[in-house]
Amino acid sequence: LRVGATPSLATTLLPAALAGFHFRHPGVALGLTEAGSDDLVARLEANELDLALVILPVRHRVLETVPLAEEDLVVVVGAGHRLARRRRLRLEELDGVPLVMPSEGYDLRSAVLAACHQAGFEPTVACDGGAMDGVLALVAGGLGAAVVPSIVASHQRGLHVIRVDEPRLSRTIGIARRAGAVFPASAAAFATEVFMLLRSAGWPGVRPAGLHLEVGANANIWGPQIR
């Protein structure tokens, strides 16, 4: 089973889903690719992955996607940051605040830049090019603030989380596969594992405020299409 996931999903949703899958199917060898959605989409198109947990929308005709959840993006700062006592802010208040930015290829980077530009300012960059774990560690170390998915905001000690009220920043988490390709039984079983996990147990670990699950009653969405 060849599975891909973005860094934020590789540390939150994926471990619980893979653990449940491995418990029920211990004989299936697992291969994991952690990358940004653009890279994962390219690997799905090249038939190098069976499934991927990505950020939607994915505008590719050869792919099929199912939304899993919608979550808020939040601002995180270190304990000594001047915004550390704030619980909420408007995005425009980040004008002039040094930000730690993820590297090129991250959906998050594009979303943050677009949101800042729409709010009328060019973000001040304290450090550019980090991976998700690095971004959180740099923020905790006092280098600057960052806009991150709410599902990873509590993964690093020493961070203070601030909600963005205006405008609300959000993204949709989904699962994707190559349309028309042979869908291995192992991939169908893993998709079912993800759908059932979210339906029965909800989001793994602490469910952040602003996260809304979108998996409906039909847990095995791709089941009838298995070949």
Side-chain angles (χ1 to χ4, degrees):
L1 174 65
R2 305 167 301 170
V3 178
T6 65
S8 60
L9 297 172
T11 59
T12 53
L13 176 58
L14 186 63
L18 278 181
F21 174 84
H22 181 65
F23 177 79
R24 277 174 268 280
H25 309 278
V28 177
L30 301 175
L32 170 62
T33 297
E34 183 178 333
S37 287
D38 288 346
D39 189 10
L40 296 175
V41 165
R43 290 173 181 265
L44 283 170
E45 290 179 332
N47 200 27
E48 296 173 0
L49 292 174
D50 300 311
L51 290 168
L53 299 174
V54 297
I55 305 306
L56 302 180
V58 172
R59 296 183 178 89
H60 290 265
R61 292 182 180 180
V62 299
L63 299 184
E64 293 179 341
T65 62
V66 176
L68 301 175
E70 183 182 6
E71 68 159 334
D72 287 346
L73 301 180
V74 297
V75 175
V76 290
V77 297
H81 197 277
R82 66 179 178 85
L83 296 175
R85 294 186 178 181
R86 297 286 298 274
R87 296 178 62 87
R88 299 176 179 273
L89 55 70
R90 300 185 310 278
L91 185 65
E92 63 190 39
E93 294 182 76
L94 293 182
D95 189 2
V97 176
L99 298 179
V100 180
M101 297 291 290
S103 60
E104 296 280 355
Y106 278 71
D107 312 87
L108 178 63
R109 178 189 178 91
S110 301
V112 172
L113 290 175
C116 291
H117 293 160
Q118 189 169 3
F121 69 94
E122 185 69 30
T124 301
V125 178
C127 184
D128 194 5
M132 183 60 66
D133 288 345
V135 168
L136 296 176
L138 291 171
V139 171
L143 193 62
V147 180
V148 300
S150 59
I151 58 174
V152 302
S154 62
H155 280 210
Q156 176 78 41
R157 291 186 177 183
L159 291 181
H160 175 73
V161 180
I162 308 170
R163 300 289 301 277
V164 180
D165 278 340
E166 191 179 325
R168 175 177 174 250
L169 303 180
S170 65
R171 67 177 193 171
T172 301
I173 296 166
I175 188 169
R177 73 167 192 170
R178 182 178 172 87
V182 173
F183 200 40
S186 59
F190 177 74
T192 299
E193 188 72 39
V194 173
F195 301 144
M196 291 300 296
L197 171 67
L198 295 176
R199 269 193 68 202
S200 59
W203 192 262
V206 178
R207 179 171 171 174
L211 185 141
H212 306 283
L213 299 180
E214 297 189 9
V215 176
N218 182 11
N220 192 2
I221 297 173
W222 285 331
Q225 303 175 36
I226 299 172
R227 287 186 284 172

